[in-house]
Amino acid sequence: MKRIVELSFEQARRLILHTQGLNQPPADSVEAIKKLSYVQIDSISVAARAHHHVFWSRNPDYQESRLDQMVSDREVFEYWSHAAAFLPMEDYRFSLYPKGEILKADKFWFEKDKKVMRHVMRRIKAEGPLQSKDFEHPPSGNNPWYEWKPTKVALQQLFMEGRLMVSGRQGFQKVYDLTERVLPEGIDLKKPTLKGFSSYLIDRAIQAQGLVTETEIGYLRKGLKKPIKRVLDEKVRGMSLIKVTLPGSDDIYYTTPEYLNSLDNLDKSEQLHLLSPFDNLVIQRKRLLNIFDFDYLIECYVPEKKRIYGYYVLPILWGERFAGRLDPKVDRKAGIFHIRNLWFEEGFVPDDEFLASFINKTTEFARFCGCGQVVVDKAPSAQLKRELTTRFKKQS
């Protein structure tokens, strides 16, 4: 096989959608997260919370209780990927490398208060699983935050060091327990080397994304650029990885010979997806622009006056291209899923096939969000708004 292979954008997109589980039959959620390597956790609930939305996008039969069950059965655990995330329990030992680095550091986000950390550990050891609110006391003395604020920091520090784990959540609040009381029996606790951790990041990134650049592998991970580069070069020399280029780009991507050999057997995607802004496919915005020609930014962190689209806009994936964006608002009390606005990408003209898929998928997503009715508040044209409104009413 050639040392450097050029793929078309069509081939690259098809491979990525295949490895992301977006153009395959529905996968069980445990298998989905093993394939994706992580699912990001986020508290925003304009529609569905991001982690539930990602699982639902891979399996429309998914229910939120399934994630609770996976946590309870110790099939997944919480830790930090590039952000707070659920990860497959079989990957637990690879979390030991960053935990060891945090443990050795004098400071991580906040100064370590060892006295408060010991206090937290003693209470959890004696009382069992606790939440941060369990350390909150009524205001007293000159410092009402004496216990609550420092212990909240201590809980996070102990979690990042690996001495505590999240044993579950009540509502959206973490419940912490001693790591040894959370881990299932027989779990591999051998800490990987720096090389081993770098190799893990490479393998998981390619497994989940099909092809990736060196920069994408080390996304938001400090101090790993050189070790990742060394392992990549070693894998290329050993022919377990192949370098890939895309038309008109100087970027070097990496993939496996197996993925390259599978390209001719991958079916073209004809599905429609309403993706979470935190979906694994779209979270790296530069990659999304370079490969899918989709310029996307989640604007909940942008001042309202500077927003172009809206607070929490969902990308619309149609087949192997991004066709538009949907601004949702869920009124759970009234059971109404509002399409506050809808945009199509330049040059995209929705045909009847697209509209039928869009109606079906949006109705399904609304039901997943607890809504039995879809209301179109705004659309690209008055005519389209009327047509969508009529179709949605027939679906109700």
Side-chain angles (χ1 to χ4, degrees):
M1 186 172 286
K2 296 179 181 179
R3 290 287 179 172
I4 299 182
V5 176
E6 180 172 292
L7 298 183
S8 68
F9 282 106
E10 180 184 18
Q11 289 174 310
R13 292 168 184 172
R14 192 165 299 174
L15 175 59
I16 292 166
L17 294 176
H18 174 78
T19 55
Q20 280 284 297
L22 289 168
N23 64 350
Q24 295 180 316
D28 176 77
S29 297
V30 174
E31 294 306 313
I33 196 171
K34 287 179 181 179
K35 187 71 172 175
L36 293 170
S37 84
Y38 76 91
V39 171
Q40 184 169 337
I41 302 169
D42 197 85
S43 61
I44 299 174
S45 57
V46 171
R49 293 196 193 275
H51 38 288
H52 294 305
H53 192 162
V54 169
F55 281 117
W56 179 83
S57 293
R58 275 75 185 170
N59 182 358
D61 293 328
Y62 168 83
Q63 298 294 320
E64 292 185 4
S65 59
R66 181 68 183 101
L67 180 55
D68 295 334
Q69 189 64 49
M70 289 191 290
V71 172
S72 177
D73 291 345
R74 304 305 184 224
E75 294 173 307
V76 299
F77 71 102
E78 285 193 36
Y79 196 59
W80 199 260
S81 182
H82 70 271
F86 290 104
L87 299 99
M89 187 63 78
E90 66 180 31
D91 286 0
Y92 176 80
R93 83 176 190 92
F94 292 100
S95 73
L96 297 177
Y97 181 83
K99 287 172 180 174
E101 296 301 296
I102 292 169
L103 184 63
K104 289 188 296 185
D106 294 329
K107 178 181 178 181
F108 181 76
W109 290 343
F110 300 97
E111 295 288 346
K112 294 183 182 181
D113 189 329
K114 295 184 179 180
K115 182 179 179 181
V116 177
M117 291 166 68
R118 287 194 296 270
H119 167 69
V120 167
M121 289 293 288
R122 282 196 300 268
R123 279 199 59 185
I124 292 178
K125 184 176 182 180
E127 300 174 37
L130 295 175
Q131 298 176 264
S132 62
K133 69 178 183 179
D134 294 318
F135 293 89
E136 184 176 1
H137 283 235
S140 61
N142 296 323
N143 190 355
W145 298 100
Y146 172 72
E147 184 170 347
W148 181 74
K149 189 172 182 179
T151 52
K152 190 172 184 179
V153 171
L155 283 166
Q156 183 66 15
Q157 180 67 37
L158 291 164
F159 167 74
M160 293 303 297
E161 290 181 1
R163 296 163 67 188
L164 295 179
M165 288 184 72
V166 175
S167 62
R169 286 181 180 249
Q170 293 181 5
F172 196 67
Q173 302 304 308
K174 297 175 184 175
V175 180
Y176 295 93
D177 200 358
L178 302 180
T179 293
E180 57 266 30
R181 296 201 296 225
V182 176
L183 285 177
E185 292 184 7
I187 197 76
D188 189 348
L189 297 176
K190 184 179 179 181
K191 179 182 173 182
T193 61
L194 175 57
K195 179 180 178 180
F197 182 63
S198 300
S199 182
Y200 159 79
L201 293 177
I202 292 167
D203 293 344
R204 286 296 184 269
I206 294 174
Q207 169 189 287
Q209 295 283 1
L211 67 162
V212 290
T213 66
E214 176 188 331
T215 300
E216 291 163 0
I217 295 166
Y219 179 61
L220 297 183
R221 294 181 182 274
K222 295 181 180 179
L224 291 171
K225 183 176 180 179
K226 289 183 179 179
I228 286 174
K229 175 62 175 172
R230 286 195 295 268
V231 177
L232 279 172
D233 289 343
E234 182 178 308
K235 287 177 178 286
V236 169
R237 288 194 298 270
M239 295 295 288
S240 62
L241 291 183
I242 304 296
K243 290 183 178 181
V244 170
T245 60
L246 298 176
S249 173
D250 294 328
D251 290 332
I252 297 295
Y253 293 84
Y254 297 85
T255 191
T256 65
E258 292 76 17
Y259 276 157
L260 289 179
N261 290 334
S262 73
L263 286 173
D264 292 338
N265 299 319
L266 299 181
D267 294 329
K268 180 179 179 179
S269 176
E270 297 179 348
Q271 299 183 45
L272 187 144
H273 294 282
L274 303 177
L275 296 177
S276 163
F278 298 97
D279 193 275
N280 299 54
L281 178 66
V282 305
I283 198 64
Q284 294 198 43
R285 314 307 188 196
K286 182 180 177 181
R287 170 184 172 85
L288 190 65
L289 179 61
N290 290 346
I291 299 179
F292 287 89
D293 194 27
F294 186 56
D295 191 0
Y296 176 76
L297 175 69
I298 180 171
E299 296 181 328
C300 58
Y301 307 115
V302 176
E304 186 173 358
K305 291 182 179 180
K306 295 184 178 181
R307 291 174 192 155
I308 298 172
Y309 297 103
Y311 179 81
Y312 195 81
V313 171
L314 310 182
I316 303 172
L317 178 67
W318 172 233
E320 296 173 356
R321 67 173 292 185
F322 283 89
R325 308 156 201 252
L326 184 155
D327 183 9
K329 180 63 178 178
V330 171
D331 184 343
R332 292 180 176 84
K333 187 175 181 179
I336 298 174
F337 183 97
H338 288 272
I339 298 178
R340 298 177 62 188
N341 209 340
L342 180 66
W343 301 266
F344 294 122
E345 293 299 284
E346 184 177 355
F348 179 79
V349 178
D351 57 16
D352 192 67
E353 183 181 5
F354 170 86
L355 291 177
S357 294
F358 177 75
I359 295 291
N360 289 335
K361 182 61 70 172
T362 305
T363 301
E364 290 172 2
F365 185 57
R367 289 171 181 161
F368 180 67
C369 295
C371 298
Q373 182 182 0
V374 178
V375 172
V376 183
D377 298 333
K378 192 173 181 180
S381 69
Q383 180 181 350
L384 181 59
K385 179 182 176 180
R386 287 193 297 270
E387 183 174 358
L388 290 173
T389 298
T390 300
R391 292 194 183 206
F392 277 122
K393 283 182 178 178
K394 291 180 180 179
Q395 291 283 92
S396 299

